[in-house]
Amino acid sequence: MAEVHIIGQILSATGFPSHNLFCKWGIHAGAGWRVIEGLTDGQTHVDNPSWQDIAVWSHPIDVHFATKGVQGWPKIHLQVYHYDKFGRSEVYGYGFCYIPTSPGTHKVDVVTWRPIGTLAEQFRQHFLGGGAQLKTPDLVHNSTDRYRLQTETMGSVHLEISVILRNFAKFGVET
């Protein structure tokens, strides 16, 4: 089988309205893909920079896949959360991107968004915290119903991803 090894890190986040951020992440691949080794999901630590506008995580990613074809190429989905002074966490943004298909090291910026609720929900969010969230987070990387959402742009998450391809030509898999 052809193999794809993804090594990298979730470097940081910028452009979010508040500090105290952490990120939940996951790598989703199609049915023809099998995980040989590594974790396909995780969570960073909370970073609360006092003098910068950047949350630094440097959270590692290391996963090894086997596949018989390129259909269902892996994609990484992200959920950025804000941890407030009362110990509550609220979603600050969703985003996803495909893992690069070419071997080598790639710098990737994932722009995030969050749903906008009704006017009453926006007032509640402003005064009480919380806000509109997705019922099924799979909607982030499956675009079937996403076009119906009203969203606002949030910050960006910065990734550094290295891709190693093995045995693609040997098994007749073309990228």
Side-chain angles (χ1 to χ4, degrees), residues 111-126:
V111 178
T112 62
W113 52 270
R114 71 175 173 186
I116 299 174
T118 63
L119 187 58
E121 290 172 333
Q122 291 178 31
F123 277 119
R124 190 173 334 128
Q125 177 182 356
H126 179 73

Side-chain angles (χ1 to χ4, degrees), residues 51-74:
W51 55 276
Q52 291 179 318
D53 196 24
I54 182 171
V56 178
W57 295 313
S58 297
H59 183 82
I61 298 172
D62 187 357
V63 65
H64 192 174
F65 286 102
T67 183
K68 292 182 180 179
V70 294
Q71 187 173 4
W73 191 266

Side-chain angles (χ1 to χ4, degrees), residues 14-17 76-81 90-97 109-117 125 131-157:
T14 56
F16 286 91
I76 186 166
H77 53 92
L78 308 166
Q79 297 176 28
V80 177
Y81 288 82
E90 65 177 306
V91 175
Y92 253 25
Y94 298 98
F96 89 98
C97 72
D109 294 332
V110 181
V111 178
T112 62
W113 52 270
R114 71 175 173 186
I116 299 174
Q125 177 182 356
Q133 294 184 23
L134 299 177
K135 287 183 181 178
T136 57
D138 290 345
L139 192 61
V140 173
H141 57 86
N142 293 334
S143 61
T144 53
D145 293 327
R146 194 173 53 212
Y147 68 92
R148 290 192 264 172
L149 292 174
Q150 290 184 338
T151 62
E152 66 178 328
T153 305
M154 295 303 282
S156 295
V157 177

Side-chain angles (χ1 to χ4, degrees), residues 84-103:
D84 70 9
K85 63 184 175 185
F86 301 110
R88 300 175 299 190
S89 60
E90 65 177 306
V91 175
Y92 253 25
Y94 298 98
F96 89 98
C97 72
Y98 283 93
I99 299 296
T101 57
S102 60

Side-chain angles (χ1 to χ4, degrees), residues 1 4 21 51 69 82 124-125 132 134 143-144 159 168 175:
M1 293 178 99
V4 177
L21 302 175
W51 55 276
H82 169 251
R124 190 173 334 128
Q125 177 182 356
L134 299 177
S143 61
T144 53
L159 311 172
F168 271 65
T175 56

